[in-house]
Amino acid sequence: MDHLPIFLNLQQRRCLIVGGGAVALRKAELLRQAGAQITLLATELHPQLLSWHEAGTIERWLPYAAKDFADLLNERINTFVLVIAATDDAVINQTVHDVAQAANIPVNVVDQPALCSFIFPSIIDRSPVIIAASTGGRAPVLARLLREKLEGLIPQHYGKLATLAGALRAQIKQALPDITVRRRFWEQLLRSPYADQLMQTNSVDAKHIAENLLTHYTGENHQHTANKMGGEVYLVGAGPGDPELLTFRALRLMQQADVVLYDKLVSDEVLNLVRRDAEKIFVGKTQGCHSKPQSEINRLLVEYAQQGKRVCRLKGGDPFIFGRGGEELQSLVAAKVRFQVVPGITAATACAAYAGIPLTHRDHAQSLIFVTGHLREDGEFILNGSLDWQTLSKPQQTVVFYMGLKNLAQITEQLRAHGMPDVMPIAIVENGTRVNQRVISGTLANIVQQTENNDASQPSLIIIGEVAALHESLQWFVPELIENSV
Ligand code: SAH
């Protein structure tokens, strides 16, 4: 270890920052968050620093003349517990280092590791939980990348969990005097589906949940307790395919699930991010085979949850957009199974973004309609008979058909019959956001021919409206590049 990571208590302690520019501002912000009393030694102040000074957030500003700098610093140095140099003047930075070192005060000269007795880590702040990452000053960008990864993995509300645990600590210690039993209790509480719930609820409910577990708790009978607590279902939107389009929350729940039930639309890359030892059950439909009936899926969800498992129901796109998520939740409610819902990026917004087609545009479309092209899930493609073709054929709007490819000929026929002009642009986005994405462009008159010529396949989304023509000039996503770079 080149450096020892420690966490300094700077509450009400005097710290010195030399410099008054943007870099000094960043350091001042950090010290401010840590409760330090900040003195700035600088000829000029960044407007933000100036306003903090005027508001009293910065305790003191000492302007200096270059010739008096060393004297001023020497005179004051012993009143500080920490010193930072953030100027672009090499002589000043060196002086700050020398004076602080001579006085044995920790010093950091920004971006000059050789002049630092301590360095700043990348910080993940879920106060009171704080994680610091460092590459010893060798590769700050790498530390930042690491931080980004951790930011995604660690729930935003994690701090709340620590605060709650802190508040209950004395009570639990008294109730469970044996340290091994106590440790097991904490492990069980923090690993259980309840930990997640604790982070979502207000602190009174959270305290109640923890106290309930304490009442149920017996050192020998963990599994029994877990069963009694019941499992939970996470209805998670997995997005259109590109794993980078998952939400942090989706990823976290995928990684803590015991069982995952997934559809055909969930891409392999997304599925790879599920917890390795989770049981994975495919409930979608493959070529020629019928999918599990919805009632069977509903039954599985309830059964697994009742066994005390954390069940992740992973669906392509968003679970509430043509995903039958509502029906699944209704059966969970009937069986009194707890659940949470995580929205996903739906095919319409994802495909539009990756095809360079703004779904609304001040000049072309002031409203947007999502519509399903067929009603049955059993492989038969029957055109949705309840569609209001009059409305769908209107100008100045964008209409997005999900599950419409097989019925494209009928769809275009109806739109023409209801007055949509033949020149209306249409784009078919096939495998949107994935490495094999294709966009097939055409018009109301020729799109059927175009899809036949290009042998379009599922999953495909149909975008109808003047905005579809913008693909030509706004396309940016080059799937082959992505493929080659992997
Ligand atoms: N819940 C999903 C939609 C399920 S319906 C969502 O919110 O996206 C299935 C239809 O979604 C497919 O027939 C297709 O029209 C569309 N779709 C889903 N993913 C797609 C993708 N990656 N590219 C193109 N269309 C997609």
Side-chain angles (χ1 to χ4, degrees):
M1 255 198 304
D2 291 343
H3 294 88
L4 177 70
I6 55 169
F7 292 85
L8 274 182
N9 179 355
L10 290 181
Q11 298 291 336
Q12 307 300 321
R13 309 302 301 273
R14 287 223 157 99
C15 298
L16 173 69
I17 299 176
V18 182
V23 181
L25 172 65
R26 283 208 306 275
K27 297 302 179 203
E29 170 77 58
L30 267 180
L31 293 185
R32 194 172 74 105
Q33 286 170 7
Q37 291 182 344
I38 304 168
T39 296
L40 290 171
L41 192 53
T43 45
E44 268 185 308
L45 289 193
H46 184 284
Q48 177 71 65
L49 287 171
L50 203 56
S51 72
W52 283 349
H53 179 246
E54 279 157 11
T57 312
I58 300 282
E59 195 195 15
R60 203 172 320 149
W61 172 27
L62 301 172
Y64 66 86
K67 63 178 174 43
D68 304 330
F69 179 73
D71 288 345
L72 190 60
L73 192 63
N74 267 309
E75 196 182 298
R76 308 263 179 160
I77 195 75
N78 283 315
T79 60
F80 301 111
V81 297
L82 196 85
V83 175
I84 298 167
T87 77
D88 46 18
D89 182 325
V91 178
I92 295 241
N93 285 348
Q94 183 71 49
T95 310
V96 174
H97 166 263
D98 295 348
V99 172
Q101 280 291 72
N104 276 324
I105 293 168
V107 59
N108 177 282
V109 178
V110 177
D111 281 341
Q112 282 184 261
L115 298 184
C116 291
S117 69
F118 75 92
I119 55 177
F120 281 93
S122 276
I123 298 168
I124 296 115
D125 186 0
R126 301 282 187 278
S127 287
V129 177
I130 295 167
I131 298 170
S134 159
T135 56
R138 287 179 187 80
V141 175
L142 193 64
R144 226 179 51 221
L145 290 181
L146 189 64
R147 192 187 100 191
E148 277 170 24
K149 279 195 175 183
L150 292 171
E151 286 282 2
L153 285 177
I154 300 166
Q156 286 300 325
H157 301 295
Y158 224 66
K160 204 168 152 189
L161 206 56
T163 306
L164 179 82
L168 288 170
R169 212 171 145 183
Q171 188 186 345
I172 304 295
K173 193 167 177 184
Q174 201 181 17
L176 303 171
D178 184 314
I179 183 164
T180 320
V181 175
R182 200 160 65 235
R183 194 178 300 135
R184 260 191 250 153
F185 166 85
W186 281 119
E187 279 179 10
Q188 189 180 344
L189 179 68
L190 297 176
R191 278 196 190 144
S192 73
Y194 281 85
D196 202 59
Q197 230 194 344
L198 295 179
M199 288 188 271
Q200 306 304 325
T201 51
N202 64 45
S203 50
V204 178
D205 286 350
K207 200 157 177 275
H208 189 67
I209 289 168
E211 283 168 354
N212 250 351
L213 177 65
L214 187 60
T215 324
H216 284 308
Y217 193 80
T218 58
E220 299 81 44
N221 208 348
H222 279 198
Q223 196 49 46
H224 175 68
T225 313
N227 290 349
K228 229 175 173 173
M229 292 196 310
E232 187 174 15
V233 174
Y234 314 134
L235 180 61
V236 176
D242 179 348
E244 294 214 322
L245 295 177
L246 280 173
T247 59
F248 288 154
R249 191 167 166 70
L251 184 61
R252 183 164 59 77
L253 295 180
M254 283 159 62
Q255 291 186 343
Q256 72 181 38
D258 302 307
V259 187
V260 178
L261 278 75
Y262 65 99
D263 285 335
K264 182 149 188 266
L265 277 177
V266 176
S267 69
D268 291 347
E269 291 90 334
V270 167
L271 210 54
N272 264 338
L273 297 171
V274 162
R275 204 178 95 198
R276 295 237 168 273
D277 49 357
E279 185 181 347
K280 298 181 197 76
I281 304 171
F282 177 66
V283 293
K285 120 185 90 187
T286 45
Q287 210 72 41
C289 292
H290 285 241
S291 52
K292 275 198 196 309
Q294 189 63 45
S295 56
E296 168 76 1
I297 298 175
N298 297 351
R299 190 182 62 75
L300 283 175
L301 291 174
V302 169
E303 253 180 42
Y304 280 118
Q306 282 174 344
Q307 287 168 20
K309 298 206 162 123
R310 288 168 290 189
V311 188
C312 177
R313 174 69 176 109
L314 205 52
K315 283 174 175 289
D318 181 274
F320 280 179
I321 296 185
F322 308 127
R324 305 191 73 171
E327 294 162 54
E328 292 176 9
L329 294 193
Q330 282 164 332
S331 64
L332 297 178
V333 169
K336 297 197 166 55
V337 169
R338 275 184 305 118
F339 60 82
Q340 23 182 319
V341 185
V342 183
I345 296 189
T346 189
T349 49
C351 293
Y354 277 54
I357 299 174
L359 288 173
T360 68
H361 188 291
R362 280 176 18 153
D363 300 335
H364 305 291
Q366 287 81 48
S367 64
L368 175 61
I369 303 176
F370 292 176
V371 54
T372 169
H374 85 112
L375 282 179
R376 303 209 8 208
E377 277 243 321
D378 56 6
E380 269 183 66
F381 287 86
I382 295 171
L383 186 65
N384 184 348
S386 61
L387 294 179
D388 175 358
W389 293 105
Q390 205 71 49
T391 302
L392 295 177
S393 310
K394 286 189 178 150
Q396 293 294 304
Q397 65 183 13
T398 305
V399 180
V400 179
F401 270 92
Y402 286 69
M403 298 176 278
L405 189 64
K406 288 257 161 73
N407 293 325
L408 186 61
Q410 282 166 279
I411 291 171
T412 51
E413 213 171 280
Q414 288 286 354
L415 293 171
R416 288 169 98 173
H418 288 81
M420 186 179 276
D422 272 354
V423 292
M424 183 62 80
I426 298 186
I428 310 269
V429 185
E430 181 194 59
N431 283 306
T433 80
R434 304 178 181 203
V435 289
N436 51 349
Q437 171 175 309
R438 275 201 306 170
V439 180
I440 300 167
S441 302
T443 61
L444 185 61
N446 70 15
I447 193 70
V448 172
Q449 193 58 50
Q450 293 286 13
T451 48
E452 277 167 18
N453 294 350
N454 288 285
D455 206 12
S457 63
Q458 305 279 14
S460 279
L461 194 81
I462 308 169
I463 304 177
I464 305 173
E466 285 177 13
V467 290
L470 295 174
H471 162 72
E472 182 98 21
S473 53
L474 300 182
Q475 59 179 306
W476 58 271
F477 179 60
V478 189
E480 310 86 69
L481 279 186
I482 308 260
E483 200 160 22
N484 291 341
S485 70
V486 173

